[in-house]
Amino acid sequence: MGCTASSHVLENYGEDDPFLQSQKANDAIEQSLQMGRQNDKNEIKLLLLGAGESGKSTVLKQLKLLHKGGFTHQERLQYSQVIWADAIQSMKILVIQARKMGISLDCDDPINKRQLFECKRILLKAKALDHIDAGMAGGSDFLNDYVLKYSERHETKRRVQSTGQARAFDEDENSLLPKDGDRAMSGETIIDVEYGFARDGKLDLQQIFQDLDEDSDNDHMFLKERLREQWQQQQLRHQQQHISNQDIAHAIDQLWKNDRGLKQCFARSNEFQLEGSAPYYFDNIQKFADPQYVCSDEDILRGRVKTTGITESDFNIGSSKFKVLDAGGQRSERKKWIHCFEGITAVLFVLAMSEYDQMLFEDERVNRMHESIMLFDALLNSKWFRDTPFILFLNKMDIFEEKVKKMPIRKFFPDYQGRVGNSEAGVKYFENLFLSLNRSNNKPIYVKRTCATDTQNMKFVLTAVTDLITQQNLKKSGII
Ligand SMILES: Nc1nc2c(ncn2[C@@H]2O[C@H](COP(=O)(O)OP(=O)(O)OP(=O)(O)O)[C@@H](O)[C@H]2O)c(=O)[nH]1
Ligand SMILES: [Mg+2]
């Protein structure tokens, strides 16, 4: 109506009349709004969902490699810091867990395995934060995550932070309000208990002892003892020889290659929390030790930076515009999911197939595969996605295929009838289990087997998936 009326009225005005000028401006704005609405309608919104560590961000990284020319220099520098710190901490975890599990280590033998004993001494003395640029690694986000991951003291906190419920996500808007367990860690004293670091990088042992003394938990006796040792060591610290990155890399390399106990411990790493890419870090430890090292594409795909919140990335794929939303998958992140549920063209659910024998990082009482089943069920049958197609990525197939040879699926899923070691039977079992959760007759689920760290595999899969979604979208909007 505005258009006809205004063109009729306009005939009575000269070109430079202020009224005419303002009408023209209004028309232009209206036209651009309409175009915007049209573009929004044509834009494909793809939402990446799944449990923490399943590989969502790795899928997004592959999309960036395929359609955005790859990673920035800044990202490459960030990952070289993060990976070096994770490599040091992951090897320490193996030593500590081996002791907890009663596995005897070659490196604990100062007489017959003198060299390995010395390597272990160097490793345990090294403080990862001393050897990286924490600012470049991601600043306070990195430090928060680091403490949560590597302080024994935070095992219970992880659970509290995750809200402790087996809930998938909050369908109820009211439940989006912060709860007791949601307190951000940033307001608290951040101390890496094991290595005695306060947030500002200074040792705050007095505070640590105070915290531990208040805590009557006997589990902390071991920790207290270790802290006392650390404290004594700190007194000597300035007189001690500086440990170089090369010393640490050499120690990790030797321990990884030659300590039989550490190998046994690694074989049981489903019983504790260890970075999935730790073997990759250890195999390539020399390059990560170089402070000038700039990460390759493969390093970035293997590296792990937990997603906090929801990130949006735009891609032009063929003649379509894609907006890809990547959501953090850990429990504490899921309350944010509901904010991006509207107007989604397709949900891409990433499942880590290899994690059928592992427990959640957020709650070590819960099996990761069970968590994914519960999550997929809740999302697939939610009111938000009644008419939304789902794509299910059976991810981490490379690890799964190796793992099924040694770790029987039936141990964790008693109704599994397939042969031990038969990966095809295992994949079919989990695929059918997930497909059986679909309570709608007309909602398609497309399944793809993936190894998100493999660029060749992902190029093939992602091309097929983006083609499929584009076709579906064109059909839905009546264009074809
Ligand atoms: N071997 C192997 N590693 C994988 C695969 N997919 C992902 N990873 C690794 O798994 C780790 C976690 O991957 P992310 O992509 O960060 O997981 P995420 O789902 O985004 O995790 P959140 O952000 O916490 O929700 C990274 O170290 C990846 O390199 C895979 O198919 N094979
Ligand atoms: Mg992520």
Side-chain angles (χ1 to χ4, degrees):
M1 172 213 139
C3 267
T4 15
S6 60
S7 55
H8 172 73
V9 175
L10 291 183
E11 285 164 14
N12 302 322
Y13 292 88
E15 271 294 310
D16 50 1
D17 186 280
F19 178 73
L20 179 64
Q21 295 296 336
S22 105
Q23 278 301 322
K24 275 188 174 167
N26 283 346
D27 288 351
I29 291 167
E30 179 57 29
Q31 200 178 3
S32 102
L33 281 175
Q34 255 179 22
M35 274 172 61
R37 280 194 286 269
Q38 192 57 36
N39 280 345
D40 275 357
K41 255 171 96 180
N42 292 338
E43 185 180 69
I44 292 170
K45 267 187 166 179
L46 188 58
L47 177 57
L48 282 161
L49 292 177
E53 249 178 291
S54 56
K56 300 175 292 299
S57 300
T58 315
V59 171
L60 179 67
K61 287 176 192 171
Q62 293 285 9
L63 276 168
K64 283 187 182 166
L65 277 172
L66 262 176
H67 298 289
K68 276 254 167 91
F71 309 112
T72 64
H73 189 63
Q74 192 59 35
E75 285 171 308
R76 292 181 193 279
L77 294 179
Q78 180 192 7
Y79 273 89
S80 51
Q81 302 301 310
V82 173
I83 292 178
W84 178 227
D86 280 340
I88 298 173
Q89 296 294 50
S90 299
M91 186 52 83
K92 286 188 184 185
I93 286 176
L94 283 184
V95 174
I96 292 164
Q97 290 295 337
R99 286 181 182 159
K100 280 190 182 170
M101 295 194 291
I103 298 173
S104 70
L105 295 176
D106 290 331
C107 63
D108 278 338
D109 180 349
I111 314 289
N112 299 310
K113 300 286 176 187
R114 176 95 212 128
Q115 252 197 338
L116 285 179
F117 180 80
E118 184 56 23
C119 287
K120 180 199 66 183
R121 204 183 59 80
I122 289 172
L123 173 79
L124 294 183
K125 218 165 71 177
K127 294 169 171 66
L129 291 182
D130 268 357
H131 292 268
I132 61 152
D133 179 336
M136 202 181 274
S140 57
D141 283 352
F142 165 79
L143 285 172
N144 275 341
D145 201 29
Y146 178 90
V147 173
L148 199 63
K149 236 165 47 173
Y150 296 123
S151 294
E152 295 190 38
R153 186 169 171 247
H154 284 289
E155 269 175 30
T156 20
K157 180 162 275 178
R158 277 186 228 155
R159 206 180 298 152
V160 175
Q161 249 204 343
S162 77
T163 69
Q165 308 298 315
R167 187 174 52 218
F169 58 92
D170 294 311
E171 287 224 36
D172 173 8
E173 299 253 350
N174 293 329
S175 56
L176 295 172
L177 296 169
K179 297 172 189 69
D180 282 352
D182 300 343
R183 260 177 330 129
M185 284 184 58
S186 49
E188 303 172 23
T189 322
I190 292 193
I191 302 164
D192 180 340
V193 172
E194 194 182 350
Y195 307 106
F197 270 94
R199 183 206 255 295
D200 59 3
K202 289 195 196 104
L203 203 59
D204 191 354
L205 282 166
Q206 206 182 352
Q207 176 67 49
I208 299 170
F209 282 128
Q210 200 179 319
D211 284 357
L212 291 176
D213 282 331
E214 278 166 17
D215 194 327
S216 58
D217 189 342
N218 279 339
D219 282 356
H220 286 147
M221 289 308 291
F222 168 66
L223 211 54
K224 273 194 206 175
E225 273 317 302
R226 294 216 48 212
L227 278 169
R228 271 187 230 294
E229 275 172 37
Q230 288 283 326
W231 182 62
Q232 282 155 5
Q233 280 177 17
Q234 198 208 0
Q235 305 307 302
L236 297 168
R237 196 164 161 207
H238 291 297
Q239 299 138 32
Q240 279 171 351
Q241 217 185 334
H242 175 69
I243 311 168
S244 71
N245 280 11
Q246 270 54 47
D247 292 338
I248 303 169
H250 174 75
I252 292 176
D253 183 58
Q254 290 302 307
L255 291 165
W256 180 234
K257 284 183 182 151
N258 300 321
D259 195 302
R260 289 161 301 177
L262 288 177
K263 284 203 173 68
Q264 277 178 43
C265 180
F266 176 71
R268 289 175 57 186
S269 59
N270 64 314
E271 295 175 35
F272 52 92
Q273 302 296 331
L274 183 75
E275 291 282 295
S277 293
Y280 178 81
Y281 305 157
F282 301 153
D283 288 341
N284 295 279
I285 199 66
Q286 298 293 353
K287 69 177 188 183
F288 294 122
D290 178 356
Q292 308 302 321
Y293 183 66
V294 178
C295 275
S296 67
D297 290 348
E298 187 179 6
D299 300 334
I300 294 188
L301 291 165
R302 298 292 197 130
R304 157 111 176 109
V305 174
K306 181 185 95 175
T307 306
T308 309
I310 294 153
T311 70
E312 286 190 11
S313 314
D314 294 315
F315 298 93
N316 288 317
I317 305 176
S319 55
S320 304
K321 273 184 185 306
F322 273 73
K323 188 178 279 304
V324 181
L325 299 117
D326 177 22
Q330 287 189 0
R331 285 182 176 184
S332 56
E333 295 298 317
R334 291 182 210 155
K335 64 180 80 65
K336 303 168 194 165
W337 285 9
I338 201 168
H339 296 301
C340 60
F341 280 180
E342 222 155 328
I344 295 299
T345 318
V347 172
L348 204 165
F349 189 93
V350 183
L351 164 72
M353 286 287 286
S354 57
E355 296 180 355
Y356 63 88
D357 64 341
Q358 287 171 243
M359 298 297 162
L360 285 185
F361 171 82
E362 309 92 298
D363 187 342
E364 301 202 17
R365 300 166 304 182
V366 179
N367 175 287
R368 292 190 183 207
M369 186 62 91
H370 288 156
E371 179 85 348
S372 287
I373 292 169
M374 178 273 298
L375 202 50
F376 189 70
D377 186 7
L379 289 163
L380 189 70
N381 300 301
S382 117
K383 64 178 180 191
W384 293 97
F385 300 125
R386 207 163 281 148
D387 303 312
T388 314
F390 268 59
I391 298 142
L392 173 62
F393 275 7
L394 306 179
N395 193 37
K396 303 203 180 183
M397 282 300 298
D398 53 330
I399 310 179
F400 179 79
E401 279 167 2
E402 287 306 308
K403 192 177 265 186
V404 287
K405 292 177 192 160
K406 294 169 243 148
M407 186 61 82
I409 294 175
R410 202 172 301 155
K411 195 169 164 190
F412 303 88
F413 290 82
D415 65 336
Y416 173 71
Q417 297 299 324
R419 209 161 35 88
V420 177
N422 184 337
S423 97
E424 188 53 36
V427 181
K428 275 278 155 224
Y429 169 78
F430 286 118
E431 182 176 339
N432 289 337
L433 207 161
F434 274 73
L435 291 179
S436 72
L437 300 171
N438 193 358
R439 293 200 282 275
S440 149
N441 291 328
N442 52 10
K443 186 199 198 68
I445 303 174
Y446 305 96
V447 185
K448 301 276 176 201
R449 299 178 186 189
T450 56
C451 170
T453 47
D454 177 342
T455 303
Q456 273 313 103
N457 169 262
M458 290 310 285
K459 188 175 176 181
F460 182 73
V461 172
L462 287 171
T463 306
V465 165
T466 48
D467 280 357
L468 177 87
I469 300 172
T470 308
Q471 289 296 316
Q472 293 233 335
N473 200 46
L474 293 175
K475 263 193 216 155
K476 201 171 166 189
S477 48
I479 297 173
I480 58 170

